[in-house]
Amino acid sequence: MSYFDAASSAPLHPVARLALLASLDEGWADPSRLYREGRRARLLLDAAREAAAEAVGCRPDELTFTSSGTRAVHDGIAGALAGRRRIGRHLIVSAVEHSSVLHSAEPFDVTEVPVDRTGAVSPRSYADALRPDTALACLQSANHEVGTVQPVAEVADVCREAGVPLLVDAAQSLGWEPVDGAWSLLTASAHKWGGPSGVGLLAVRKGVRFSPRGPADERESGRAPGFENLPAIVAAAASLRAVRAEAAQEAVRLRELTARIRSRVPRLVPDVDVVGDAERRLPGIVTFSCLYVDGETLLHELDRAGFSVSSGSSCTSSTLTPSHVLKAMGVLSEGNVRVSLPPGTTSEEVDRFLEVLPGAVTAVREKLGAPTPSAVVREDALVVDALGKRCPIPVIELAKVIGDVPVGGTVRVLSDDEAARLDIPAWCEMREQAYVGEEPADQGSVYVVRRIS
């Protein structure tokens, strides 16, 4: 079995395993106590904090260990906004932030900065979003679904000039390199770089106004209540140092493997769009969208073939709504495959994946079958009734009938699936047809497409 979902959770690094086992014997005592066992535990905790701070690029007393990356995000945003409550309640986020950031922002006055089709923000957009009552800005260092690296240093300069702190979610990138720029707060999660789950990092620069929320606690500078999970913390810090030592060499290797996937998949599989920035990207992540494919079915097909991958498709989400990242980028929400290679992935594994993928996509397309569309001609338009059919069926039916109208004619697709609002315009972009717009209907919506070629 080849595990290609490291962006969700990386396999435990061997150094993390060794450190975890060793610290279970040495680090079980309360590090706040003055007796021998407590002093030994305190030495381990201090050493872990120094190692993690060095990797982050901050002072040890600026770094807090939390119970998860999500907890670090929630506490970081809440504490920063509480510390600047006299400024206001305005918060700036990008449209492709991790859900933990977006959920934390919900109670506040939020401006979402748009992204381009590669998933990147513009520093100018952050500058335009700044207001006198802006208390905090947030920007991920790299996107978790498509791998696009964000211009953090440039955005940090914009925010610093305006006197607004910038919180960076570095969960995906910290294992590869420090985050450049004059950021104010930073969060990360150990299981993303091969550390154990249940350990997050929250760094708050000196001088940043920060007021911890919740009941007071004397541990972790009052920012993370509860007894420290010392063995996991030690393992997280040890593995972060280890992966950083290997990062430069491993990044070159993984970039070559993902470049192979990016270049060969469109040649091996028809009707595929590789998404995300081709250059400014993390080493191990590549994402592509397959037309006329149900993402969940394709993932099961690849799983049976021995490959663990993930998807941004709506059908793999418990909410059954399109991925907010793919929606913001304007790319296909169905039939997405994210391949995120862990360190140590071999060239042979990637070649075997490329051998298996075309057959898996073909099998899924055959299973879906694309039922004969219910289409009638009304004046100069062909009307496709796809009510009650989930994407990608409305898109499949659109593709089957677009050739039945003359160039300049229109196809009107009636659909009540939320994903169609994203997938039909994305299909038009991929197939060079004109998306005219959406019109209300008694049931669902009508999506109007004009044939260009």
Side-chain angles (χ1 to χ4, degrees):
M1 191 76 181
S2 295
Y3 180 76
F4 286 179
D5 194 22
S8 292
S9 188
L12 192 67
H13 193 282
V15 169
R17 184 182 302 275
L18 292 174
L20 181 63
L21 293 175
S23 55
L24 286 171
D25 293 330
E26 298 294 329
W28 49 267
D30 187 343
S32 66
R33 300 305 179 191
L34 299 180
Y35 43 69
R36 180 182 304 171
E37 294 84 357
R39 295 197 304 272
R40 187 184 300 129
R42 170 56 62 181
L43 288 173
L44 288 173
L45 180 59
D46 290 345
R49 196 183 312 278
E50 289 177 8
E54 181 181 5
V56 169
C58 67
R59 294 169 34 165
D61 60 350
E62 294 174 331
L63 188 139
T64 299
F65 292 109
T66 66
S67 59
S68 68
T70 296
R71 185 77 264 166
V73 167
H74 291 175
D75 291 347
I77 291 176
L81 289 172
R84 288 172 54 83
R85 58 187 175 275
R86 293 183 180 179
I87 300 296
R89 292 172 56 85
H90 181 235
L91 175 64
I92 303 173
V93 301
S94 82
V96 294
E97 293 299 312
H98 189 271
S99 59
S100 61
V101 173
L102 300 181
H103 290 325
S104 294
E106 286 175 355
F108 303 98
D109 181 8
V110 180
T111 296
E112 278 197 8
V113 172
V115 297
D116 61 23
R117 198 168 174 83
T118 71
V121 303
S122 163
R124 170 50 56 188
S125 297
Y126 268 77
D128 293 342
L130 289 167
R131 304 186 330 206
D133 62 339
T134 302
L136 179 67
C138 300
L139 178 63
Q140 58 190 193
S141 56
N143 187 258
H144 49 291
E145 290 192 27
V146 300
T148 296
V149 173
Q150 301 288 3
V152 171
E154 294 89 337
V155 172
D157 288 342
V158 167
C159 292
R160 187 173 192 176
E161 186 175 345
V164 174
L166 176 68
L167 182 147
V168 177
D169 172 14
Q172 289 296 335
S173 72
L174 192 62
W176 294 109
E177 59 186 1
V179 177
D180 292 334
W183 50 265
S184 302
L185 303 96
L186 181 143
T187 64
S189 185
H191 72 98
K192 300 289 188 178
W193 66 68
S197 59
V199 179
L201 304 181
L202 170 60
V204 182
R205 296 282 200 196
K206 293 295 182 184
V208 175
R209 291 185 177 276
F210 190 90
S211 178
R213 300 290 81 195
D217 194 289
E218 69 276 6
R219 297 183 185 274
E220 292 298 303
S221 303
R223 294 176 182 166
F227 198 93
E228 298 93 344
N229 185 352
L230 187 53
I233 288 172
V234 170
S239 58
L240 181 55
R241 173 176 284 179
V243 298
R244 277 289 190 81
E246 304 160 354
Q249 182 176 354
E250 191 65 17
V252 171
R253 213 176 58 79
L254 291 186
R255 284 190 189 280
E256 189 280 326
L257 294 178
T258 51
R260 189 184 308 176
I261 297 173
R262 288 182 66 87
S263 64
R264 290 183 59 186
V265 164
R267 299 201 299 265
L268 293 170
V269 182
D271 297 316
V272 164
D273 184 24
V274 182
V275 302
D277 196 294
E279 300 297 331
R280 288 177 55 86
R281 60 184 304 99
L282 292 175
I285 297 180
V286 56
T287 303
F288 52 89
S289 304
C290 303
L291 280 174
Y292 322 132
V293 165
D294 175 81
E296 185 175 16
T297 305
L298 179 55
L299 263 58
H300 288 320
E301 197 75 24
L302 290 171
D303 182 48
R304 284 193 290 271
F307 293 95
S308 301
V309 299
S310 63
S311 172
S313 300
S314 62
C315 55
T316 62
S317 167
S318 60
T319 60
L320 292 179
T321 58
S323 157
H324 70 279
V325 171
L326 302 176
K327 182 177 181 180
M329 292 170 62
V331 300
L332 196 69
S333 74
E334 294 290 341
N336 293 99
V337 174
R338 181 187 67 182
V339 175
S340 49
L341 307 178
T345 300
T346 65
S347 178
E348 291 75 17
E349 287 179 293
V350 170
D351 286 341
R352 193 169 71 85
F353 173 76
L354 292 171
E355 291 175 3
V356 165
L357 180 66
V361 173
T362 299
V364 172
R365 286 173 173 167
E366 290 177 350
K367 285 179 181 178
L368 285 175
T372 303
S374 172
V376 296
V377 177
R378 296 180 183 173
E379 299 176 351
D380 65 336
L382 191 67
V383 179
V384 174
D385 185 354
L387 286 174
K389 299 172 184 175
R390 286 184 53 191
C391 278
I393 298 301
V395 177
I396 292 174
E397 296 192 349
L398 167 61
K400 292 184 68 174
V401 303
I402 190 71
D404 294 341
V405 299
V407 173
T410 58
V411 176
R412 301 167 66 84
V413 182
L414 180 61
S415 176
D416 53 2
D417 183 4
E418 177 68 19
R421 181 170 285 114
L422 175 61
D423 288 354
I424 290 176
W427 178 89
C428 292
E429 178 80 17
M430 293 174 67
R431 301 310 297 268
E432 298 182 342
Q433 305 295 344
Y435 178 64
V436 177
E438 177 182 350
E439 298 176 356
D442 292 338
Q443 289 181 274
S445 297
V446 173
Y447 302 94
V448 184
V449 176
R450 177 173 290 112
R451 183 183 175 189
I452 300 299
S453 59

